[in-house]
Amino acid sequence: DIVLTQSPATLSLSPGDRATLSCRASQRVRSYLAWYQQKPGQAPRLLIYDASNRATGIPARFSGSGSGTDFTLTISSLEPEDFAVYYCQQCSIWPYTFGPGTTVDIK
Amino acid sequence: EVQLLESGGGLVQPGGSLRLSCAASGFTFSSNWMSWVRQAPGKGLEWVANIKQDGSDKNYVDSVKGRFTISRDNAKNSLYLQMNSLRAEDTAMYYCARGGSRPDYWGQGTLVTVSS
């Protein structure tokens, strides 16, 4: 199975800061990578698909980049509602797998 | 508005069975792959299974193969997960999701607890 590693595990930032989250795959997944946001007690929400495409309704402050094995999710200026857990997920090879998550919390 | 409403979770003893259901509305159910994804308490996400639009293609994570069966009824706009031989490690919130590879809509989940 493809293993996804996310770093850092926790990112402590303030509103208005730029957040940079990383995801590394154990083998190439081309651009078949998605990012999700999850808040406590809620279902995950799709943010980015195919590495760099924003899902419907996702604000422009969220952007994704990368291909192959290294990917980045960037939040250009954190809003209060952005403090959450972020997961990357590959859909290149079954079983599709998720990373362990990065928690973005308030500094 | 897309809505996915799961039901059928609960407390079950090890070795027991449960059938989860997901009622879909607000989109053309029969045109979409569908998936079940689970999340153990305080843990990350794990894809359980997905199913093609007409049910002709199904995929399962190894840990549930032979024990879980995903199915759908397009006439009823419903997705199902039959879970047999349940184990403690199957304890999780089970989410129904639209899409087979990178789901764009998720239900709020139904909690399955396997314990004696």
Side-chain angles (χ1 to χ4, degrees):
Chain A
D1 296 1
I2 295 176
V3 176
L4 299 179
T5 303
Q6 292 187 243
S7 61
T10 303
L11 199 51
S12 297
L13 296 168
S14 301
D17 286 349
R18 182 183 186 88
T20 302
L21 288 67
S22 295
C23 177
R24 175 166 288 179
S26 61
Q27 56 186 280
R28 290 178 58 85
V29 297
R30 293 175 285 177
S31 293
Y32 295 125
L33 190 106
W35 290 93
Y36 299 83
Q37 176 194 68
Q38 189 177 32
K39 297 178 182 178
Q42 295 186 18
R45 176 172 74 142
L46 178 67
L47 300 175
I48 301 288
Y49 64 93
D50 293 348
S52 60
N53 295 292
R54 272 190 305 277
T56 302
I58 301 303
R61 63 181 182 273
F62 291 93
S63 63
S65 63
S67 67
T69 61
D70 291 296
F71 301 87
T72 301
L73 174 69
T74 301
I75 310 171
S76 60
S77 178
L78 282 164
E79 296 288 339
E81 62 268 27
D82 298 337
F83 292 92
V85 180
Y86 292 84
Y87 294 97
C88 58
Q89 174 246 319
Q90 65 83 19
C91 54
S92 177
I93 297 173
W94 184 264
Y96 302 149
T97 49
F98 293 87
T102 289
T103 300
V104 178
D105 64 17
I106 299 176
K107 187 174 182 180
Chain B
E1 178 191 5
V2 172
Q3 289 194 332
L4 298 167
L5 184 62
E6 302 94 337
S7 61
L11 175 64
V12 61
Q13 292 188 340
S17 298
L18 276 179
R19 189 195 195 207
L20 305 184
S21 300
C22 172
S25 61
F27 66 101
T28 305
F29 180 76
S30 59
S31 296
N32 286 267
W33 278 77
M34 296 294 295
S35 297
W36 289 100
V37 178
R38 68 184 178 182
Q39 186 169 35
K43 302 297 184 182
L45 298 162
E46 180 183 39
W47 214 297
V48 175
N50 63 11
I51 184 169
K52 194 176 178 179
Q53 290 92 329
D54 62 358
S56 62
D57 191 7
K58 306 173 185 181
N59 297 289
Y60 299 92
V61 69
D62 281 352
S63 60
V64 309
K65 274 181 188 174
R67 300 188 299 123
F68 290 12
T69 302
I70 189 172
S71 63
R72 64 192 297 162
D73 186 335
N74 287 341
K76 294 183 177 179
N77 290 339
S78 293
L79 177 71
Y80 306 102
L81 186 68
Q82 177 66 43
M83 304 187 296
N84 298 331
S85 302
L86 282 160
R87 306 167 180 167
E89 54 265 34
D90 295 318
T91 294
M93 183 71 78
Y94 284 74
Y95 295 102
C96 163
R98 185 179 83 165
S101 58
R102 24 92 160 167
D104 57 355
Y105 286 93
W106 299 59
Q108 285 305 302
T110 187
L111 182 63
V112 172
T113 303
V114 184
S115 175
S116 56

